[in-house]
Amino acid sequence: MIDDAGSLAPLRQFVVAMTKLIDQGQGEAALLAEGRRHLAALIARDDWLPDAFARAEPGAYRQYLLHCDLLERFSVVSFVWGPGGGTPIHDHTVWGLVGILRGAERCEEYARGIGDEVVPSGRVHVMTPGMIEAVSPTIGDWHVVSNALPDRDSVSIHVYGGNIGTVRRHLFDPVGGVIRQFISGYSSTVVPNLWDRSAGDHR
């Protein structure tokens, strides 16, 4: 039996499964439900993510593109949170699924108020490996995410309904009380080579 530890096969299988799912043209609710099942299988093991896409400095977070659909219908991203790292208050504008691969993440949820106001919803939770949550303008789209661990990195795998690094999204500045647009980009100029199976990674 081939030892496939460190193989990209789980990520490749996830990409294939999500491509087939998107091709079916289902509504968002069905897509999120089935996508959750595929993401659960991907994050059930922790030996496939290359080290180059699992690094962040203390006090920072990094967003690495792992795959983008040819038609930009979905993207797969690893988010890495260094100790003390966290996001501003932000939205997504597209559907998304977030699954925890390593460590733990703290999520504080927000909601749009009147005008440009964005207010805490009162829901704060910590996610640990294997847990998955969904985001979307239809079910809740604003939050702050941070590393829940003080002494090591945390990693989550995200799948979004678009090329998330190019999507025009929004930040909320609680000091000024204003919403600003932003485009996140990515933290690396390369992506994993999912399609080179010359070393025996044939599953």
Side-chain angles (χ1 to χ4, degrees):
M1 179 177 178
I2 297 175
D3 178 6
D4 64 349
S7 144
L8 286 171
L11 179 57
R12 182 170 58 250
Q13 291 162 3
F14 177 74
V15 166
V16 170
M18 286 302 301
T19 302
K20 291 178 178 178
L21 179 59
I22 297 291
D23 284 345
Q24 292 172 11
Q26 300 187 60
E28 183 179 286
L31 192 154
L32 287 175
E34 188 67 9
R36 181 184 292 265
R37 185 175 69 82
H38 295 314
L39 183 56
L42 177 63
I43 63 173
R45 54 187 295 177
D46 184 26
D47 61 354
W48 57 267
L49 183 65
D51 289 344
F53 304 97
R55 297 173 179 156
E57 300 77 30
Y61 71 94
R62 295 290 178 258
Q63 177 175 324
Y64 298 103
L65 179 65
L66 302 179
H67 175 78
C68 185
D69 172 66
L70 179 64
L71 300 178
E72 298 185 285
R73 299 173 299 176
F74 75 96
S75 55
V76 187
V77 181
S78 67
F79 274 74
V80 188
W81 316 87
T87 70
I89 302 169
H90 67 281
D91 71 357
H92 307 84
T93 75
V94 297
W95 63 262
L97 289 165
V98 178
I100 308 303
L101 185 69
R102 301 173 189 163
E105 294 178 9
R106 184 176 187 271
C107 179
E108 303 173 55
E109 297 184 10
Y110 286 74
R112 282 294 296 267
I114 299 172
D116 279 353
E117 188 179 27
V118 178
V119 297
S121 71
R123 184 165 183 252
V124 179
H125 57 283
V126 173
M127 297 178 64
T128 55
M131 296 179 69
I132 296 172
E133 69 176 1
V135 296
S136 165
T138 63
I139 61 176
D141 197 35
W142 286 86
H143 65 194
V144 169
V145 181
S146 59
N147 192 343
L149 303 178
D151 57 353
R152 58 191 171 98
D153 292 351
S154 293
V155 181
S156 51
I157 304 300
H158 301 215
V159 55
Y160 291 108
N163 180 0
I164 194 64
T166 69
V167 173
R168 192 175 300 277
R169 300 191 280 151
H170 306 92
L171 300 174
F172 178 68
D173 176 4
V175 176
V178 296
I179 292 175
R180 297 189 176 95
Q181 291 189 347
F182 81 105
I183 297 175
S184 67
Y186 294 109
S187 301
S188 175
T189 58
V190 299
V191 295
N193 186 348
L194 299 182
W195 312 112
D196 180 5
R197 293 181 276 187
S198 59
D201 184 7
H202 295 297
R203 294 191 308 130

